[in-house]
Amino acid sequence: MEKIIWEYILVFILAAIPWIEIAAVIPLAILKGLNPFLVALLSFAGNFFTVFLLIVLFERFQEWRRKRKGAEEKETGRSKRGKEIWNRYGLPGLALAGPILIGTHIAAAIGMGLGAKKQWTTLWMTISLVLWSGIFAVASHFGFDFFRG
């Protein structure tokens, strides 16, 4: 029983780590045989926890980053992709595409960096994470069942 509890704690922790994301954690945990509902719930909670911290502490982070790197900042491929999504679809598009294309943490940071308000960023990231957690859980559960026979 204790081993199972640690597996669920690990799901929460891995989902909270940027770049691992729910898109990897949920299918792997379900493939391992963990409960799809609990996996989706804990993955959402873990990922949301660090995204929410990023949103809340963004101004401080941005100021620290400016001091550390200077005024000029080189644009990465992910940030370019994020800005293209932002320009075309706004914050909702960025938040909804984030888990698949650039990662939730990067999507939140780009949205905040482009002037989105904390409340709207939090709302749209929450909607996105709930939606994608459900999609990944259902698709993984039924997809693995289909291939198992």
Side-chain angles (χ1 to χ4, degrees):
M1 182 69 167
E2 187 175 311
K3 179 185 175 196
I4 293 173
I5 292 171
W6 281 108
E7 289 174 339
Y8 285 108
I9 291 171
L10 185 60
V11 166
F12 177 88
I13 292 169
L14 289 174
I17 298 172
W19 297 287
I20 294 180
E21 300 289 340
I22 59 175
V25 173
I26 292 174
L28 291 174
I30 292 173
L31 184 62
K32 170 84 172 85
L34 298 178
N35 179 298
F37 177 76
L38 289 176
V39 166
L41 183 66
L42 291 171
S43 294
F44 163 81
N47 198 265
F48 179 76
F49 175 72
T50 52
V51 167
F52 184 72
L53 282 177
L54 176 69
I55 292 169
V56 169
L57 301 173
F58 185 78
E59 284 92 11
R60 291 184 199 168
F61 171 76
Q62 197 173 30
E63 186 62 34
W64 169 81
R65 192 168 177 203
R66 226 185 327 253
K67 287 178 184 176
R68 185 170 175 248
K69 290 192 173 192
E72 292 181 27
E73 194 174 308
K74 188 176 180 181
E75 193 171 58
T76 65
R78 283 186 175 199
S79 64
K80 283 181 187 176
R81 185 181 296 168
K83 285 182 183 178
E84 289 172 9
I85 296 168
W86 175 268
N87 290 333
R88 190 164 190 177
Y89 303 106
L91 182 59
L94 182 64
L96 293 171
I100 299 297
L101 299 178
I102 57 176
T104 55
H105 300 87
I106 294 171
I110 290 172
M112 294 291 294
L114 293 173
K117 293 185 178 187
K118 288 180 187 179
Q119 296 84 352
W120 287 110
T121 304
T122 302
L123 174 68
W124 279 105
M125 293 308 298
T126 302
I127 291 168
S128 175
L129 285 170
V130 167
L131 180 71
W132 283 111
S133 295
I135 289 170
F136 288 131
V138 169
S140 298
H141 176 70
F142 290 111
F144 293 138
D145 279 352
F146 176 77
F147 285 112
R148 287 182 186 146

